[in-house]
Amino acid sequence: MLETGIMMRYGFDGPRKGIWKAVELEKAICDRFGCAHAQLVSSGTAALTTAMVALGIGYGDEIILPSFTFVASFEAVLSVGAIPVFVDVDDTLTLDPEAVRKAVTKKTKCIMPVHMCGSMADMDALQKICKENNLLLLEDACQSIGGTYKGKHLGTIGDAGTFSFDFVKTITCAEGGVVLTNRKDIHVAADGYSDHGHDHKGADRGAELHPIMGYNFRISELHAAVGLAQVRKLDEFLSIQRKNHQQLKEIINQIPEISFRRIPDAGGDSCTFLSWFLPTEEIATAVIQEMKSQNIMGGNFYWYDHNWHYIRKWDHLKNSTLLNTLHPDLKAAVISQATKEFPASNKVMSRCISTAISLTWTEDQISEKGNKIVAVIKKALAAKSVSV
Ligand SMILES: Cc1ncc(COP(=O)(O)O)c(C=O)c1O
């Protein structure tokens, strides 16, 4: 590809001399994750937007999503003119199915679980709600590449799913994303939408028809080539992640007051993070302070205070601060959703710390890291008079 100089994924059929990196990566993704279709795009955010459009979600539709996610999830909802309906997360750190059930209205079109921090939502429960209410299921699996639920890859269970291949994901293209689906109609729509509506028929790009209008969310051949090299390493990355996760978990598990995130299918955790709960918010705050003062907070995340991942800090959403003007009805709906109270989520998130699992740790480094965390927790528990 560097020799032919063709960096665009479509067209230039002659000069590219049979080199189609994006097509090759799409095939590798279908084979590796067991889905019928994959549409590469320029980012995970573009993948969510493309998937929503391809699913026919638009103005006034309600999409149910969790209060703990990344801002891209609701940015995509707003970009298609739909209303983000936030609901509580439970100790899986993903959608609480009972909260979802209560949030369904006549306007609900889609449920969007976000498989946060490498692990999954309770997909059986969510699929049941979708079936009973005739709703679409879109999985934001951007953070859970390689995770599975009951033998199926996250992102391939619903009507559509998405991965992000940005720089901090399990495998990366530097920037990139993909829409996964087993439905041909969704794939055809995603394929056209992400490239100005082109129908991609024939070998003359200029003569192609545009049955729909779209945008440019294309991935480049350069990014796809990086992704191809990465997808071949996924199994190795996952097995290191799982081994390191297990070792760290065994160390922290010494403390009976600590509990761990509930994983609906334990064998399917991709183990990008170890997420653990302190008994109370007060103890969590003390642990964070002590970790900061010992300079060991790096790689540990207290999402409750995080500007990007938990609804508490999304003031731009609460005020509906956009550069473009929203229809007043949509603006009012967004503000009313974003300013709801989430006591159940707060109870979970205020006690949770997630430790990112590194591929480069040695066993000694994990022991050292784990033992330091254990010492900090014991100190905080003792200071708060909780028995250790
Ligand atoms: C849950 C979730 N959804 C969507 C995205 C967006 O992916 P990208 O950064 O590739 O646009 C991210 C990125 O961090 C994410 O964590």
Side-chain angles (χ1 to χ4, degrees):
M1 177 246 312
L2 291 176
E3 281 152 30
T4 63
I6 307 301
M7 312 261 175
M8 188 173 174
R9 70 156 300 180
Y10 297 113
F12 304 94
D13 291 36
R16 69 190 314 132
K17 298 188 178 152
I19 298 170
W20 300 88
K21 290 294 173 191
V23 174
E24 227 183 297
L25 179 54
E26 282 165 348
K27 187 169 179 321
I29 287 171
C30 289
D31 292 347
R32 177 61 184 76
F33 298 100
C35 65
H37 309 282
Q39 179 64 41
L40 283 165
V41 288
S42 50
S43 68
T45 311
L48 285 171
T49 306
T50 302
M52 286 173 198
V53 172
L55 289 165
I57 296 166
Y59 180 73
D61 292 333
E62 291 181 356
I63 302 190
I64 293 177
L65 73 165
S67 56
F68 174 50
T69 179
F70 178 56
V71 293
S73 310
F74 66 74
E75 286 167 353
V77 176
L78 293 181
S79 76
V80 302
I83 301 167
V85 175
F86 295 97
V87 309
D88 276 317
V89 294
D90 59 18
D91 57 351
T92 64
L93 303 185
T94 64
L95 286 174
D96 169 1
E98 274 321 301
V100 170
R101 199 177 276 286
K102 286 188 194 133
V104 173
T105 71
K106 281 192 186 119
K107 287 187 183 171
T108 309
K109 181 118 181 201
C110 177
I111 296 176
M112 182 167 78
V114 184
H115 303 301
M116 287 297 278
C117 305
S119 178
M120 81 271 336
D122 179 345
M123 293 305 286
D124 279 351
L126 297 178
Q127 276 180 302
K128 190 161 180 273
I129 299 171
C130 284
K131 209 165 172 190
E132 285 167 9
N133 295 278
N134 195 23
L135 301 174
L136 295 161
L137 183 60
L138 169 59
E139 295 171 79
D140 180 342
C142 286
Q143 290 199 7
S144 300
I145 301 171
T148 56
Y149 177 78
K150 300 194 175 172
K152 287 188 181 166
H153 272 278
L154 303 179
T156 68
I157 300 164
D159 295 276
T162 59
F163 290 162
S164 159
F165 297 127
D166 74 23
F167 186 60
V168 295
K169 298 302 183 287
T170 306
I171 53 173
T172 184
C173 295
E175 294 284 358
V178 69
V179 179
L180 308 164
T181 182
N182 289 308
R183 286 178 47 183
K184 185 149 196 264
D185 58 327
I186 302 299
H187 178 243
V188 170
D191 175 59
Y193 183 75
S194 55
D195 183 30
H196 303 296
H198 274 258
D199 68 357
H200 297 139
K201 289 189 179 146
D204 179 356
R205 183 164 167 81
E208 285 174 8
L209 300 177
H210 30 75
I212 53 163
M213 285 197 275
Y215 282 95
N216 175 6
F217 289 144
R218 291 188 304 262
I219 195 162
S220 80
E221 288 285 272
L222 271 181
H223 291 85
V226 175
L228 257 179
Q230 286 271 293
V231 81
R232 290 175 190 137
K233 293 186 179 163
L234 178 61
D235 288 333
E236 186 192 339
F237 292 167
L238 288 171
S239 87
I240 298 171
Q241 254 166 215
R242 288 184 172 132
K243 186 171 133 300
N244 292 354
H245 182 276
Q246 182 62 25
Q247 194 192 332
L248 186 65
K249 186 172 179 184
E250 276 165 20
I251 299 170
I252 296 182
N253 203 17
Q254 292 168 39
I255 305 182
E257 289 82 358
I258 297 295
S259 57
F260 293 92
R261 171 187 191 173
R262 183 163 58 85
I263 314 281
D265 177 1
D269 187 353
S270 73
C271 294
T272 51
F273 286 88
L274 177 66
S275 296
W276 40 285
F277 298 110
L278 283 311
T280 64
E281 176 179 349
E282 198 192 2
I283 294 169
T285 308
V287 166
I288 304 287
Q289 270 168 2
E290 184 63 23
M291 285 173 88
K292 282 185 180 160
S293 72
Q294 291 189 20
N295 208 16
I296 56 167
M297 193 59 196
N300 292 282
F301 295 87
Y302 186 50
W303 307 116
Y304 191 57
D305 263 350
H306 200 282
N307 283 347
W308 294 94
H309 287 284
Y310 187 52
I311 197 160
R312 220 160 72 94
K313 295 287 179 96
W314 295 339
D315 289 340
H316 60 332
L317 179 76
K318 292 179 195 205
N319 299 321
S320 186
T321 313
L322 280 91
L323 294 180
N324 55 321
T325 311
L326 286 189
H327 185 286
D329 293 350
L330 182 52
K331 186 170 173 138
V334 169
I335 292 173
S336 117
Q337 281 300 325
T339 52
K340 288 188 308 195
E341 297 290 330
F342 294 94
S345 302
N346 287 344
K347 212 167 174 184
V348 171
M349 299 310 300
S350 64
R351 296 184 298 108
C352 178
I353 296 177
S354 295
T355 307
I357 303 297
S358 168
L359 292 177
T360 61
W361 285 340
T362 62
E363 283 186 15
D364 286 349
Q365 283 172 325
I366 299 172
S367 295
E368 194 189 331
K369 187 176 253 303
N371 290 332
K372 279 185 181 164
I373 293 175
V374 164
V376 167
I377 299 169
K378 283 186 175 168
K379 190 173 166 186
L381 290 174
K384 302 291 170 198
S385 312
V386 176
S387 61
V388 186

